[in-house]
């Protein structure tokens, strides 16, 4: 059975040594010194390894079951959720006014990485609740906030997001669910929503659904969509009272995340309460989009992390074949898999991705903190630009790496009992939900690049360029192994941006045909930047003789691998982008 | 529910227009004119679409069940197998001396593509039987051939291959199963074998296991391995008689191919008959390796083909969003997905891969025919070189494309009911079995490149170079769209080969660290060559005003896409290869 160990040293390295969290001037950050961070991550890690991780295969095998209208979660989930609640883990970065602990989002992100790696399907229950919490926190009336938030902070009541309908996913303007205003100021919500994660279950007293619906007579399409709070049990005197008109149609059979109840939800004149303004439902949803999408990006690399940990253990343990350069395990019948260069290549791909991805995701979370807690418009703009890259790139690569980890096991990787298949199957959804990755690419190229006159992408380019300037002449090895490759990759990125500027205006398809490649190109540049920054820190630490030299040497070696073996993908992405729309759009739809 | 339509026009295009099967001087080919091929593929296509394909989700959902020592296959499998037998489909390329039809292997490959696409798990039952048939045909005594082959040609008796044991997969020298000689010339076989596809089931009278085992006192390691025929029921008077000492330990729970019974097989003093010579078991297995591995490569792109067909249908049908260049479906609430450039990119990736892969696989099958039927050593050498590429590249890309097809469906792609998950889950195994793809890369770079003094790889390079020379000056468009990109890609391939020659001798790891990239680099060059050849044929057909002009134009457009968007990967592969072993092997095993 797979195991999981929270990579606390690596997490602290990014939080404290690279980002310098405790030295950043953001409210709440000042208390986050190395000891405090270590204490938090250590405790979270125990919950992840000892409680959540053993339930991961249980959730996969048992799944959720709908019986007489009631959803039963897998054995042990409820007890684990109680432990999570009691430990205060659901309240980590929530508002102290509603019972939260007020810790930085970046710290909650590090904890979330652990929980997601240990049990992705499980962690979606508090994860979705947090999303709904954020929406009510940002757009609710004081009365709504007082009514719902304290219970959602503790996850005594959990939350959901209801967007998709059978005939519309990305194109929410086609939505049919309607909300009819009543004399008492409430609405009657009627319609069917699908793919509702954590839609119903037996682990909380109440489920607070956030539902997108159209008020009859409102504007056509996406501009006529409003957001409603539809509790499973209507709140009476602060407690769940009468059953509302919402029921589970069925639980979907999915490729993975079986431990999470993905429901078809039927609303039949359910009582709903407007959240925010009429017809401004999409705006309310978008408020929490950056955070939600960063959270999905995190799921992507978290699955890669846990899959990597197990693949590594297997590669060290499994004896098969001999090292071509000389026997390494003369007393055994064969050498461990890890002696073989192609196994190394595979493991280094995984390792260098996961560690780079972690730095990238934490950097994004840090920007979200800066945006929310310091009202920093530049940080907000930059993280908005980065969000589709964090979501799209980290989930694509996360799935790829989970699949690669499965490959290390040979035939055993395909057998469910060994658990590697689950990592790949679970990771697969992250490429799809919260906006399929093609939609992320469209958001990036069609919207974010040009946002505020292209200011944010220019700011990002400037960050990279400044870094390259600042690190000039550090050392020959840094120059060759990090600085030059980063420079070349960022040149590719800028060339791609230039191609879009020159061609996208007269032919939008010329840009959109390259959108997916651009998302990946930018992802590689971001990870390249992260690795170069990590290398600088590691080199400095080594120079000052700090701590564990082997740790920093390993960091540099892992970074060098990424720069040499992964970053060159930017060239191919650029080539594809520059080939434009012509070959992509050459065929009529009928000719396919 | 997904559907499948045999792509007969595309298949005939490769067989007849590109390969010119009926014009090739190979025994059995002369009868394979366009009409005959069409008739065969048409009939096979009906079986695939009407019988096998509807059973694909049935097999996935029901799986195989072990009850009181008996394996039950999913509902409908037995009847379908009867239909397949009655149609003579199991006997297609088998030896007429034993009841086979003696058709070319390349034709059986085209039929196999259809059956695999329609139902991969199902088609493994006759597929494994064919492998066992080939081994007995090549190495059996006359008595053995007469005893087993006629029944295996009809699949009244099916076959299996027993190689892997719990502690050894790739490294078969570690094998523990033993075969103790008896006075009557038979052997008592004892041991446990795992991952035995089609290991047992209720669709045939008998199962003929081919089992690798060690005769006590023989040479150590791989040189002491022999191959045995171990029938489930011992043959008495030409009929299955007494039960042999072989039983099913369990059926493995797998990620996919649930319709195939993957068994743990326990041998307990089972009576075995030596096949071929003592201690020459590996040689006997290798005889059929090229064929078996080409067959797995075929599974890879066949899953991509059927996944593509369904993704395409969904992209034409599903209305979501509007074409940014102008509304395409003004009467509907939205435009079909296929208007969006990123959906096109995805579909074109799939289409251009599948069609290129088909040409590559048929070319390989054609070389196998030439090697077997004409004793052509050059063809044998070339296909031996190509085999790991066909297996490794086509299954890696096949899985990737099946995953991409799933992505077109958005959330529905993740729901089992829609069937796209099954294609990805089924395709995943092809990267693992019959030698994991890392082992294919090792075989290619560590063995095949240097085989016979590098003669075969030089012959391949010469083929590409000759083609580039011959097509000089055809037309500006061919030059720009096909010839130049192929030239650049083949230059990358030769540079990679040169790097290995210059570095691999003094440091084998320098070559082996790049083996996986080399396998993919070579795969791209092969598909590039196939596309360039297909474009030549299509251009010529257009010039002579033959047949369906739209078909040939679409071929050229699809090929141009491959050359512009996929082939540039060679650059990145070369960059990785040339970065050598240093970053790959930098870390001690303990430092990971």
């Amino acid at each position: 059975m797979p195991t999981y160990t929270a990579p606390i040293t690596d997490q602290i390295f990014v939080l404290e040594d690279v980002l310098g969290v405790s030295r950043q001037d953001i409210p709440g950050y000042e208390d986050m010194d190395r000891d405090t961070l270590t204490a938090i991550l250590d405790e979270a890690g125990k919950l992840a390894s000892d409680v959540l991780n053993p339930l991961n295969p249980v959730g996969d095998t048992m799944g959720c079951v709908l019986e007489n209208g009631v959803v039963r979660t897998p054995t042990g989930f409820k007890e684990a959720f109680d432990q999570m609640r009691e430990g205060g883990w659901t309240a980590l970065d929530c508002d102290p006014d509603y019972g939260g602990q007020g810790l930085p989002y970046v710290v909650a992100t590090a904890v979330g990485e652990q929980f997601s790696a240990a049990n992705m399907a499980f962690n979606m229950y508090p994860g979705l609740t947090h999303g709904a919490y954020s929406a009510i926190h940002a757009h609710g009336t004081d009365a709504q906030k007082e009514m719902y938030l304290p219970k959602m902070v503790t996850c005594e009541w959990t939350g959901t997001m209801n967007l998709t309908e059978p005939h519309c996913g990305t194109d929410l303007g086609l939505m049919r669910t309607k909300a009819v205003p009543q004399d008492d100021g409430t609405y009657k919500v009627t319609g069917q929503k699908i793919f509702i994660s954590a839609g119903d279950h037996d682990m909380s007293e109440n489920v607070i659904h956030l539902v997108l619906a159209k008020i009859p007579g409102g504007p056509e399409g996406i501009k006529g969509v409003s957001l409603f709070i539809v509790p499973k049990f209507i709140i009476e005197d602060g407690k769940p009272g009468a059953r509302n008109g919402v029921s589970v149609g069925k639980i979907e059979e999915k490729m993975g995340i079986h431990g999470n109840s993905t429901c078809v939800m039927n609303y039949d004149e359910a009582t709903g309460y407007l959240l925010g303004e009429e017809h401004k439902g999409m705006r309310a949803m978008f408020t929490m989009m950056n955070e939600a999408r960063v959270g999905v990006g995190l799921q992507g690399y978290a699955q890669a992390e846990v899959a990597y940990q197990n693949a590594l253990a297997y590669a060290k343990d499994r004896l098969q074949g001999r090292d071509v350069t000389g026997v390494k395990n003369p007393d055994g019948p064969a050498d461990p898999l890890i002696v073989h260069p192609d196994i190394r290549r595979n493991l280094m791909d995984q390792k260098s991705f996961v560690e780079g991805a972690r730095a990238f995701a934490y950097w994004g979370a840090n920007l979200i903190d800066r945006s929310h807690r310091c009202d920093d418009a530049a940080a907000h703009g930059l993280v908005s630009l980065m969000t589709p890259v964090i979501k799209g790139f980290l989930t694509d690569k996360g799935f790829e790496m989970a699949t690669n980890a499965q490959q290390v096991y040979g035939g055993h990787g395909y057998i469910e009992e060994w658990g590697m298949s689950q990592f790949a199957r679970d990771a697969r959804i992250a490429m799809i939900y919260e906006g399929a990755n093609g939609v992320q690419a469209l958001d990036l190229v069609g919207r974010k690049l040009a946002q505020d006159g292209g200011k944010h992408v220019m700011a990002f380019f400037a960050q990279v360029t400044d870094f390259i300037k600042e690190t000039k002449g550090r050392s020959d090895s840094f120059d060759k192994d990090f600085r030059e490759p980063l420079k070349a990759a960022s040149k590719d990125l800028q060339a791609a941006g230039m191609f879009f500027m020159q061609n996208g205006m007269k032919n939008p398809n010329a840009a959109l045909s390259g959108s997916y490649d651009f998302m990946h190109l930018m992802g590689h540049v971001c990870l390249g930047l992260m690795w170069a920054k990590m290398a600088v820190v590691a080199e400095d630490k080594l120079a000052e003789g700090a701590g564990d030299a082997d740790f920093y040497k390993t960091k540099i070696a892992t970074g060098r691998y990424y720069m040499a073996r992964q970053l060159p993908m930017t060239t191919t992405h650029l080539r594809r982008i520059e080939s434009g729309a012509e070959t992509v759009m050459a065929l009529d739809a009928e000719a396919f």
Side-chain angles (χ1 to χ4, degrees), chain A residues 391-513:
Chain A
K391 198 280 184 183
F393 183 69
L394 297 193
T395 60
D396 276 357
K397 296 300 272 187
F399 172 71
E400 182 187 329
M401 295 303 156
T403 304
N404 289 355
Q406 188 185 16
Q407 192 73 11
V408 173
Y409 279 68
H412 296 100
Y414 201 67
I415 307 296
E416 291 294 352
E417 193 185 341
W418 289 77
M420 300 306 285
S421 160
Q422 186 187 352
F423 297 136
R425 288 184 293 99
D426 285 0
R428 183 67 184 86
I429 188 58
M431 298 158 69
I432 299 174
Y433 63 18
E434 206 57 42
N437 286 355
V439 175
Q440 302 298 329
L442 178 66
D443 177 45
L444 176 64
V445 169
R447 204 164 144 260
K448 298 293 175 62
L449 282 187
Q451 208 164 41
D452 299 325
K455 184 160 94 174
H456 310 300
V457 72
M458 296 315 292
F460 173 64
F461 286 164
Q463 275 205 23
V464 180
T465 312
D466 289 350
F467 176 85
I468 291 169
K469 265 189 210 146
E470 285 159 17
T471 52
K472 194 174 175 184
R474 270 188 73 84
S475 69
D476 285 353
S477 63
F478 183 85
D479 212 57
K480 179 173 84 54
D481 296 339
F482 291 94
R483 204 173 149 275
E484 286 301 332
L486 179 62
K487 203 168 157 184
S490 93
K491 234 174 108 178
D492 286 343
L493 183 65
Q494 297 196 33
M498 190 60 73
F499 177 85
F500 289 162
M501 277 174 60
Q502 287 168 346
N503 297 278
M505 291 295 266
K506 58 177 186 283
N507 178 13
N509 284 348
L512 297 182
S513 295

Side-chain angles (χ1 to χ4, degrees), chain A residues 560-581:
Chain A
R560 288 174 56 235
Y561 181 92
Y562 192 88
M563 306 310 272
R565 289 260 171 177
Q566 290 296 318
L567 206 56
M569 262 312 290
T570 59
T571 319
T572 295
H573 288 306
L574 177 61
R575 285 273 296 280
R576 289 185 189 149
I577 289 165
E578 289 183 339
S579 76

Side-chain angles (χ1 to χ4, degrees), chain A residues 152-222:
Chain A
M152 295 178 77
V153 164
T154 59
C155 278
E156 285 165 278
W157 301 351
T158 59
T160 73
M161 305 294 202
N162 291 242
L163 287 78
T164 308
E165 300 183 6
H167 64 290
C168 71
T170 301
D171 191 352
L172 289 169
L174 304 175
M175 187 173 295
R176 288 179 196 148
T177 297
K178 62 179 182 188
V180 181
Q182 307 295 305
D183 293 341
D184 62 357
T186 67
Y187 295 76
K188 290 287 181 210
V189 177
T190 302
Q192 188 177 64
K193 295 286 182 176
I194 62 170
F195 305 156
I196 309 308
S197 299
D200 197 27
H201 57 87
D202 52 3
M203 301 194 294
S204 68
E205 287 178 355
N206 205 356
V207 181
I208 311 304
H209 301 289
L210 297 195
V211 184
L212 286 178
K214 282 184 172 176
I215 299 167
E220 286 291 298
I222 199 73

Side-chain angles (χ1 to χ4, degrees), chain A residues 49-265:
Chain A
S49 299
D50 302 342
V51 179
L52 303 186
N53 183 58
L55 289 175
N56 197 42
V58 177
D60 189 51
T61 313
M62 292 187 71
C64 295
V65 183
L66 178 63
E67 272 177 7
N68 305 320
V70 177
V71 176
R72 308 218 175 280
T73 50
T75 305
F77 268 43
K78 187 161 181 1
E79 293 72 19
F81 206 24
D82 287 341
Q83 271 188 267
M84 183 181 261
R85 272 192 277 252
E86 282 155 21
W89 298 109
T90 63
L92 225 50
D93 63 327
C94 295
D95 186 344
D97 286 350
Y98 302 100
Q101 299 184 36
L103 294 184
Y105 175 63
V106 73
V107 175
T109 298
V111 170
E113 175 199 312
Q114 295 182 355
F115 293 167
S116 259
N119 196 326
M120 175 168 159
F122 181 93
N123 200 48
M124 291 169 65
Y125 294 99
L128 269 295
T129 308
H130 195 281
Y133 156 90
S134 299
I136 296 175
H137 192 269
H139 301 282
T141 61
D142 286 346
Q144 285 173 335
K145 291 200 249 187
E146 274 153 35
M147 181 176 284
Y148 296 105
L149 296 187
K151 295 289 191 180
M152 295 178 77
V153 164
T154 59
C155 278
E156 285 165 278
W157 301 351
T158 59
T160 73
M161 305 294 202
N162 291 242
L163 287 78
T164 308
E165 300 183 6
H167 64 290
C168 71
T170 301
D171 191 352
L172 289 169
L174 304 175
M175 187 173 295
R176 288 179 196 148
T177 297
K178 62 179 182 188
V180 181
Q182 307 295 305
D183 293 341
D184 62 357
T186 67
Y187 295 76
K188 290 287 181 210
V189 177
T190 302
Q192 188 177 64
K193 295 286 182 176
I194 62 170
F195 305 156
I196 309 308
S197 299
D200 197 27
H201 57 87
D202 52 3
M203 301 194 294
S204 68
E205 287 178 355
N206 205 356
V207 181
I208 311 304
H209 301 289
L210 297 195
V211 184
L212 286 178
K214 282 184 172 176
I215 299 167
E220 286 291 298
I222 199 73
K223 291 182 177 144
V225 168
S226 309
L227 186 58
F228 298 90
I229 301 173
V230 185
K232 175 177 171 184
F233 296 103
I234 292 170
I235 314 305
E236 293 161 8
D237 298 329
K239 294 206 179 92
R243 190 71 150 87
N244 203 350
V246 47
S247 60
V248 179
K250 70 166 174 172
I251 297 183
E252 301 281 12
E253 295 287 338
K254 309 183 298 290
M255 185 177 182
I257 51 165
H258 295 153
N260 198 275
S261 56
T262 306
C263 298
V264 173
M265 298 303 301

